Amino acid sequence: MLTQLEAFLLDPSITDIVINGDSGLWCDRGSGFVRAAEWECAEADVRALARTLISAGGRHIDEAHPCVDVRLARGIRAHAVLAPVSRGGTSISLRIPRQTPLSLADMVVGGGVTAEDCARLRAVVASRRNVLISGASGTGKTTLLGAMLAEVPHTERIVIIEDLSELLVTHPHVVSLEARQPNLEGVGGIDVTTLIREALRMSPDRLIVGECRGAEIAALLMALNTGHSGGAGTIHANSLQDIPARLEALGALAGLSVGALARQAASAIDVVIHLEKVDGVRRIASMGRLVMNDAGTLSAVSALDDCGV
């Protein structure tokens, strides 16, 4: 099964692969998932494949730990859920990164970024604005962030913190830190929040958090509020206007009140960028900023005039 899967992994047009037990394999080449008619695999073989993939990423999956996420060779991100937690059979999800990062110029050619937005993004990087990029899964948040970081002057040091390393940056001075899960005895884990604290001691010119999924949002906002300009992070959100609610939910996991989160975020984040995927094209849907409203909570507005971009 691993040999059969390799043919899909080597296809440069495929960005995502999912396997749903013995129901089949689906590939996304940019226009949504399409079933691969040539793939046939029994549930027992899919379960064995999941164990092989997770083991290759240095972790273990079994009935006691049925849901595992790892990074494989070439930066491939693998997630597996064993049956019966996955009711339809063992589920495997693979995210395949580009081997050659896109530049902002490439994204203009591809239609994901307009020439006007490209100029704005370059101005954001040059003026060391703190940036938050949002969007649903697969909208290109990591790709855009990597393209923006490629515009950072080569005299600056970029420190990247990720749960699983995905961010590819064409830049000569990048340090990448990756969180580590506890071992089978429950020790040795290093979370993103801890890595943010460590990164602050590493003389970063740009502090980057690949994706904020939980309490680490508090550490990132604190870092960006203490003189670390030019930083960035990404989050999942459905629209520009939904970003405040998403931040509030993440802040609650860190024990931040709505008011405290609003003050921190409005002060720390200069520019927010929301991405969407339409007809297979990943593009910038809107750009704006975060503001405190009269109720003392957070709002997202489209105007960028106050950001100077």
Side-chain angles (χ1 to χ4, degrees), residues 152-218:
V152 170
H154 290 184
T155 54
E156 297 184 15
R157 172 178 169 92
I158 301 172
V159 179
I160 299 171
I161 301 103
E162 296 179 274
D163 184 42
L164 282 175
S165 294
E166 294 182 286
L167 193 54
L168 299 176
V169 183
T170 304
H171 190 280
H173 199 171
V174 176
V175 177
S176 181
L177 305 179
E178 183 179 58
R180 186 173 67 189
Q181 299 292 327
N183 61 20
L184 293 177
E185 287 73 39
V187 298
I190 303 175
D191 60 20
V192 172
T193 298
T194 300
L195 290 179
I196 293 174
R197 290 198 298 266
E198 295 301 321
L200 293 175
R201 302 183 178 97
M202 298 172 65
S203 302
D205 290 301
R206 308 266 181 164
L207 182 67
I208 312 299
V209 177
E211 183 177 334
C212 292
R213 301 180 177 185
E216 63 269 11
I217 189 66

